[in-house]
Amino acid sequence: MLYMGLNRHMRIMKNPSQRALWVLSYIQGPRVKAWLNAEVLKLKNMVDKLHFTDDDEEIWDTFESDFKHTFEDESQKADGMLRLQNLSMASEKGLEEYISTFDTILAEIGWERNQPGTVRLFKDGLDMWISRRMHLQDTWPDEDNLDGWEKAARKAALRAKQMKQEIGSGYHRGSKSV
């Protein structure tokens, strides 16, 4: 996908049929030979028998779907879900690391960011002090708005840091005046 993005101006990348055949040309080995031949035949049939045009994006979409279905590691999704369920702010040594790891795992497993289950997992992994501080805020994001909850967590953490600094500097000034 990275290569295709960098070369999107090239003619072969603009043509879904050629793009799929180009990717297939890199897939080699005895364990994938039968799948590869079936895919080439399927692409040929889409154009020759089903009368798709070479520039029909459905050709690429079909190939991409077949590829993901065949080679996607289902255990990777299950492992990712388990990692999300066990992830915590404490295990990641801070809020920013927690958010970064949480977002990375979501991307790895292709799980929807903005759904209540995702937000619930995110909130469950926060330290208790930050959850309490977040609930002191006047408004909360919707339960299907992960970006909003991440922003609210950052805001709560920043406010807690500011309050700690104010308290610390207040004690310091007080000790000077004695």
Side-chain angles (χ1 to χ4, degrees), residues 30-105:
R31 296 177 71 191
V32 296
K33 188 175 183 177
W35 178 85
L36 177 67
N37 290 336
E39 283 301 305
V40 171
L41 185 59
K42 184 185 285 185
L43 291 172
K44 184 178 179 337
N45 286 338
M46 287 179 80
V47 173
D48 294 347
K49 294 182 180 175
L50 299 175
H51 306 293
F52 284 84
T53 60
D54 279 341
D55 61 349
D56 191 328
E57 277 298 323
E58 193 169 337
I59 292 173
W60 173 257
D61 294 342
T62 299
F63 164 72
E64 187 177 31
S65 175
D66 289 351
F67 181 86
K68 286 179 180 177
H69 179 73
T70 303
F71 296 106
E72 188 171 53
D73 184 0
E74 288 300 318
S75 66
Q76 182 181 7
K77 283 188 177 182
D79 291 346
M81 282 299 301
L82 187 59
R83 285 176 36 220
L84 275 180
Q85 290 170 347
N86 293 323
L87 187 67
S88 70
M89 196 172 138
S91 69
E92 293 303 306
K93 310 223 180 351
L95 179 63
E96 289 306 320
E97 284 293 320
Y98 172 67
I99 290 173
S100 176
T101 302
F102 192 92
D103 290 347
T104 299
I105 295 170

Side-chain angles (χ1 to χ4, degrees), residues 89 95 123 126-135 137 152-158:
M89 196 172 138
L95 179 63
K123 292 191 310 186
L126 293 171
D127 285 349
M128 187 61 71
W129 69 266
I130 204 162
S131 293
R132 286 185 185 135
R133 181 149 294 289
M134 287 171 65
H135 284 93
Q137 295 177 13
R154 286 181 171 118
K155 183 178 174 183
L158 178 61

Side-chain angles (χ1 to χ4, degrees), residues 102-115:
F102 192 92
D103 290 347
T104 299
I105 295 170
L106 284 182
E108 284 174 5
I109 64 175
W111 206 26
E112 180 64 38
R113 288 181 58 79
N114 293 315
Q115 64 179 355

Side-chain angles (χ1 to χ4, degrees), residues 148-165:
W149 281 99
E150 288 177 351
K151 184 178 178 180
R154 286 181 171 118
K155 183 178 174 183
L158 178 61
R159 183 66 186 130
K161 185 178 179 180
Q162 289 170 338
M163 288 180 70
K164 187 176 179 180
Q165 287 174 342

